[in-house]
Amino acid sequence: MRIVCVGGGPAALYFAISAKRRDAGHEITVLEKDPRGATYGWGVVCHDALLDRLYRNDRESARAIRARSHLWQEQEVHLRDEEVGYLPGYGFSVPRAGLLEVLANRATDLGVDVRYESPVPETALADGTFDTGELAADLVVVADGARSRLRDHVADDYGTRLRTGRNPYIWLGTRKVFSCFTFAFEETHAGWVWCYGYPTSAGVSTFIVECSPETFAGLGLDTLPHEDGIEMLQKIFAHTLDVQALISSSRGRPSPWLRFLEVRNETWRHANTVLLGDAVHTTHYTMGQGTRFAMMDAVMLAQALQEQPSLSAALGTFDRKGREALRTAQAAARTGSAWFENVDRYLDRDAVEFAYALSYRSGMQPPWRYQWHIATQITPVRKGRRLVHTGRRWWRARKRGEQPFVPRGLLHAG
């Protein structure tokens, strides 16, 4: 089958890997408009559940991804520089650029034609066919992001619905290395500003800053020159950053202020095209699930192509199962997004109670869970819980057969 993937992100590259692993006869081309190595953003979060799936699907790329990942343990919620609430959990973060490098190398090794600086004109997609003269495809995988041009070219056919979030946010980096996932909420003369910090790579952490539009304007961030705005954020979060500087550009591209774009589609397919990753759905970044869902989309589509007797049947299966799998997650993401857009309602509480509200913002909880939350603020209880999580993490790593050796070709670009 001739397959063209539009977009060189995790969804397209991991689909190409997954499809080639199942049928080496597929002729797959990945078209990415940006140069190799150019990417916006810092670290992406993954958990053991995703690593388990990646190891089962393609061990080689999974080992390389795990080798680049950095562990964070527990979550801390800082309020006004003086109060701290603790939350459980652990996870891994991977530099986005490193993740894309691993996936591109693996796809190329499997025979995928990955082309950079290859933009696709909107007119290439018409009446369900794809033809730029040189390329024609039996299947077109549209994975060019939340603001997909090719999806929007026939948005009515997908039933595309877009909603822009209220709060502005900016995705930055810092030399401050966090050992845990850190939330910090600071009060300014114009209102509250908060951040999410977690380790990304050796010596660098991801640092996302968010605030309400009223605070954004009140601080002058809507009119200040970019570097002056970054300097203001450094002063606001000086305590959290341990006076380390913020890094405002990734791979030479200055980080812009954004508003989260929620993407939903009534159907994920149209003729011989199918949407994948952020082009078909987004979940709020505070869930840390965007990359996971994109890569699981990729596996699901590759599996459907292998199991179903025709392309039409495969796309129908993927469309139905994909929408079913995402329904609950997107509902929870909308609830969580709304919580942060109204966070002022909860900031009159102490850090422990506020941390509980933040942690369980997406659903109802039994009363005993709050009592357990109170108990785990006690240091010996928290250490015991962390020991249990460490044992669980070790056991899952052992079950999937993690080993320290990683093929050099996957760690470094050729």
Side-chain angles (χ1 to χ4, degrees):
M1 184 183 296
R2 296 170 302 173
I3 303 172
V4 172
C5 301
V6 180
L13 289 172
Y14 202 64
F15 164 73
I17 292 168
S18 302
K20 270 287 193 179
R21 288 270 294 157
R22 286 161 173 78
D23 186 346
H26 289 314
E27 298 177 15
I28 305 177
T29 303
V30 176
L31 303 177
E32 168 55 48
K33 63 181 177 62
D34 291 328
R36 183 174 183 132
T39 182
Y40 166 67
W42 299 88
V44 296
V45 173
C46 66
H47 297 275
D48 267 330
L50 176 59
L51 288 173
D52 289 346
R53 292 289 302 274
L54 298 184
Y55 267 83
R56 289 197 298 270
N57 187 64
D58 179 52
R59 184 176 179 80
E60 295 302 312
S61 58
R63 292 174 69 194
I65 291 168
R66 179 63 185 93
R68 287 178 177 261
S69 66
H70 291 256
L71 171 70
W72 52 264
Q73 299 187 76
E74 295 191 330
Q75 302 173 77
E76 293 184 0
V77 182
H78 295 252
L79 203 56
R80 306 180 188 89
D81 276 349
E82 47 193 41
E83 305 173 36
V84 183
Y86 299 94
L87 295 170
Y90 66 88
F92 308 90
S93 55
V94 186
R96 180 173 170 83
L99 173 65
L100 294 178
E101 182 181 332
V102 165
L103 297 181
N105 287 345
R106 178 60 170 156
T108 301
D109 288 347
L110 290 172
V112 177
D113 182 8
V114 182
R115 304 183 185 183
Y116 294 94
E117 300 183 74
S118 299
V120 177
E122 293 181 12
T123 53
L125 185 62
D127 300 325
T129 63
F130 180 92
D131 192 349
T132 62
E134 176 191 359
L135 287 173
D138 301 306
L139 171 63
V140 180
V141 178
V142 178
D144 54 346
R147 292 168 174 82
S148 169
R149 293 186 309 140
L150 296 189
R151 178 202 63 216
D152 291 346
H153 187 68
V154 286
D156 289 344
D157 294 301
Y158 292 114
T160 303
R161 287 177 288 173
L162 306 177
R163 187 186 73 86
T164 303
R166 186 170 184 271
N167 289 352
Y169 72 94
I170 188 169
W171 204 0
L172 304 167
T174 177
R175 296 295 178 187
K176 155 79 177 189
V177 179
F178 294 94
S179 61
C180 59
F181 199 107
T182 301
F183 300 87
F185 292 77
E186 298 292 346
E187 190 172 18
T188 72
H189 70 275
W192 289 87
V193 185
W194 56 95
C195 69
Y196 319 86
Y198 53 91
T200 300
S201 59
V204 177
S205 293
T206 296
F207 199 82
I208 302 171
V209 178
E210 183 180 350
C211 62
S212 71
E214 292 82 9
T215 300
F216 186 70
L219 290 174
L221 291 168
D222 57 337
T223 57
L224 279 174
H226 182 76
E227 292 305 320
D228 291 347
I230 298 303
E231 185 177 350
M232 176 185 291
L233 295 178
Q234 286 178 184
K235 292 177 180 178
I236 291 172
F237 293 105
H239 180 78
T240 303
L241 292 168
D242 290 337
V243 200
Q244 291 287 342
L246 289 172
I247 307 170
S248 62
S249 62
S250 174
R251 299 274 174 142
R253 299 172 62 179
S255 300
W257 282 94
L258 302 168
R259 283 180 169 79
F260 174 70
L261 182 65
E262 182 187 22
V263 177
R264 287 186 287 167
N265 289 274
E266 292 179 5
T267 180
W268 294 11
R269 61 170 297 194
H270 167 63
N272 71 328
T273 68
V274 64
L275 302 177
L276 212 62
D278 284 353
V280 68
H281 54 67
T282 56
T283 54
H284 198 259
Y285 51 87
T286 55
M287 290 186 67
Q289 299 286 352
T291 300
R292 174 198 165 203
F293 288 138
M295 297 178 81
M296 290 306 94
D297 283 353
V299 175
M300 191 184 306
L301 178 57
Q303 192 68 19
L305 290 175
Q306 180 187 42
E307 293 177 348
Q308 297 302 316
S310 67
L311 176 60
S312 179
L315 297 186
T317 297
F318 172 71
D319 181 32
R320 183 180 68 258
K321 289 185 176 181
R323 285 186 287 109
E324 289 174 357
L326 260 292
R327 188 174 293 113
T328 300
Q330 282 202 306
R334 287 193 294 272
T335 302
S337 173
W339 191 90
F340 279 101
E341 289 177 354
N342 296 279
V343 72
D344 285 3
R345 300 177 183 176
Y346 307 94
L347 284 164
D348 60 344
R349 311 178 185 190
D350 63 42
V352 172
E353 189 166 343
F354 177 75
Y356 181 80
L358 186 155
S359 181
Y360 298 109
R361 60 192 179 274
S362 296
M364 298 177 62
Q365 300 296 326
W368 64 264
R369 197 176 294 274
Y370 179 71
Q371 299 304 321
W372 175 239
H373 171 72
I374 296 299
T376 55
Q377 305 306 302
I378 303 170
T379 300
V381 177
R382 195 164 64 252
K383 286 183 176 179
R385 182 184 60 191
R386 185 169 181 169
L387 184 62
V388 170
H389 285 171
T390 298
R392 181 187 303 165
R393 187 175 67 252
W394 177 86
W395 173 245
R396 294 187 72 161
R398 185 177 179 86
K399 282 180 65 179
R400 58 182 174 251
E402 284 187 10
Q403 297 178 15
F405 172 75
V406 180
R408 294 179 61 87
L410 292 179
L411 286 176
H412 304 287

